[in-house]
Amino acid sequence: MPMKGKQNHILKKVSVAIYKGDFTVIMGSSGSGKSTLLYSLSGMDCVNAGEILYKGEDLCKMKENTLAKLRQKDFGFVFQQMHLVSNLTLYENVVVSGYLNKDMAAKDVESYAKQLLDRMGLQDKYNRLPSQVSGGEQQRAAIARAVISKPALLFADEPTGALNRKNTNEVLDLLSQLHEDGQSILMVTHDMKAALRANRILYLEDGTIVGELTLPPYGSQDDKKRETQVNAWLSSLEW
Ligand SMILES: Nc1ncnc2c1ncn2[C@@H]1O[C@H](COP(=O)(O)OP(=O)(O)O)[C@@H](O)[C@H]1O
Ligand SMILES: [Mg+2]
């Protein structure tokens, strides 16, 4: 990332593939470059060396509006701060994002938005403003908004970072459900409990991937056993 002509090498020699159908998690200490990696992989930030390939095409070489369209259609984003539009209802936040997808008819967007919100336990809260619901509910609406266009990949940067344990679990259950239904997910997290949802964990240190762990699908294994395994692996990386 250039700063006043000076280059700051945040990511170094990272070579990574993200696979369809996976729930991939990126872990690492604060400042290790997790967000930078996520934003690079999604074409939000461009790398100054190397390439970011999506379906064989380099995101950083695409025309700006081609990339913008691709991100709108193929990628979904969830952040620690939900960034919902404060004067739109939860339902409106979701449909407005869906309308931007020219491949989907308005009435299909509307019925899918309702289906998603219902599934997220927000069936009684369509008409609430973000400020009128809990943080967990806001984040669930933000996830509905992120997946309304049926993205090939859902990117999430610390989506539970601002939530209490109860809301965190609700959001994680929802992400697990989406993954079970076939949604590919790439999530950055600090939280070991959140990482347990993944079937693949990458560990980043000082801008480099220093560890990788593959797990059976969440739910197919005893929770305690999984936690012990992930804990031992993280300890070996001096987490
Ligand atoms: N726009 C930027 N310009 C310069 N340095 C940055 C910028 N964004 C992040 N950094 C630095 O890059 C490193 C990695 O940041 P980040 O990817 O946000 O880490 P993480 O998400 O793992 O906490 C940090 O040292 C941070 O200070
Ligand atoms: Mg970060």
Side-chain angles (χ1 to χ4, degrees):
M1 225 168 280
M3 279 176 73
K4 288 188 181 160
K6 210 178 102 204
Q7 289 196 351
N8 197 348
H9 295 274
I10 297 170
L11 298 175
K12 297 153 199 151
K13 294 189 190 161
V14 173
S15 174
V16 66
I18 304 301
Y19 304 103
K20 191 174 168 178
D22 271 2
F23 189 154
T24 309
V25 151
I26 303 171
M27 285 194 93
S29 54
S30 176
S32 58
K34 303 181 296 297
S35 295
T36 305
L37 179 59
L38 189 88
Y39 299 150
S40 302
L41 292 173
S42 67
M44 262 199 272
D45 274 350
C46 262
V47 289
N48 31 40
E51 45 187 20
I52 309 289
L53 300 177
Y54 176 70
K55 292 183 176 168
E57 276 201 81
D58 193 338
L59 295 184
C60 293
K61 292 205 179 104
M62 284 181 186
K63 289 205 183 95
E64 208 162 306
N65 70 338
T66 312
L67 178 59
K69 270 191 208 135
L70 183 147
R71 288 199 1 227
Q72 164 57 38
K73 213 165 125 346
D74 286 24
F75 298 164
F77 295 90
V78 182
F79 304 93
Q80 178 171 338
Q81 300 307 329
M82 298 77 182
H83 300 302
L84 291 168
V85 180
S86 62
N87 58 347
L88 295 183
T89 65
L90 299 187
Y91 172 76
E92 288 165 344
N93 265 282
V94 178
V95 290
V96 162
S97 170
Y99 293 149
L100 294 172
N101 182 359
K102 300 286 183 282
D103 293 346
M104 235 169 136
K107 68 171 182 14
D108 295 336
V109 168
E110 288 151 15
S111 66
Y112 191 46
K114 287 178 190 158
Q115 200 184 315
L116 284 169
L117 287 167
D118 292 355
R119 198 164 150 202
M120 294 183 186
L122 297 170
Q123 60 282 353
D124 300 326
K125 306 201 167 148
Y126 287 7
N127 297 321
R128 301 270 188 106
L129 294 172
S131 61
Q132 296 168 330
V133 300
S134 73
E137 289 167 335
Q138 286 183 44
Q139 193 57 297
R140 282 184 268 149
I143 294 170
R145 178 184 59 181
V147 297
I148 185 78
S149 295
K150 306 185 177 172
L153 183 57
L154 175 63
F155 292 89
D157 191 359
E158 311 255 15
T160 60
L163 303 178
N164 64 24
R165 183 46 67 193
K166 179 175 171 284
N167 284 329
T168 292
N169 287 336
E170 287 171 8
V171 165
L172 292 177
D173 285 345
L174 185 60
L175 291 171
S176 288
Q177 265 179 41
L178 289 169
H179 177 234
E180 233 175 79
D181 292 348
Q183 177 67 58
S184 309
I185 303 175
L186 178 61
M187 173 172 82
V188 163
T189 187
H190 247 89
D191 181 354
M192 209 270 293
K193 292 262 192 229
L196 294 176
R197 305 299 177 123
N199 64 288
R200 181 175 178 225
I201 310 177
L202 304 170
Y203 194 86
L204 203 62
E205 195 178 280
D206 205 10
T208 308
I209 294 172
V210 294
E212 176 173 346
L213 180 71
T214 307
L215 293 163
Y218 181 78
S220 69
Q221 186 190 24
D222 177 64
D223 279 5
K224 275 273 163 284
K225 198 175 146 206
R226 191 180 189 86
E227 192 169 334
T228 308
Q229 183 189 356
V230 172
N231 249 328
W233 177 72
L234 288 171
S235 302
S236 76
L237 292 163
E238 290 169 15
W239 158 251

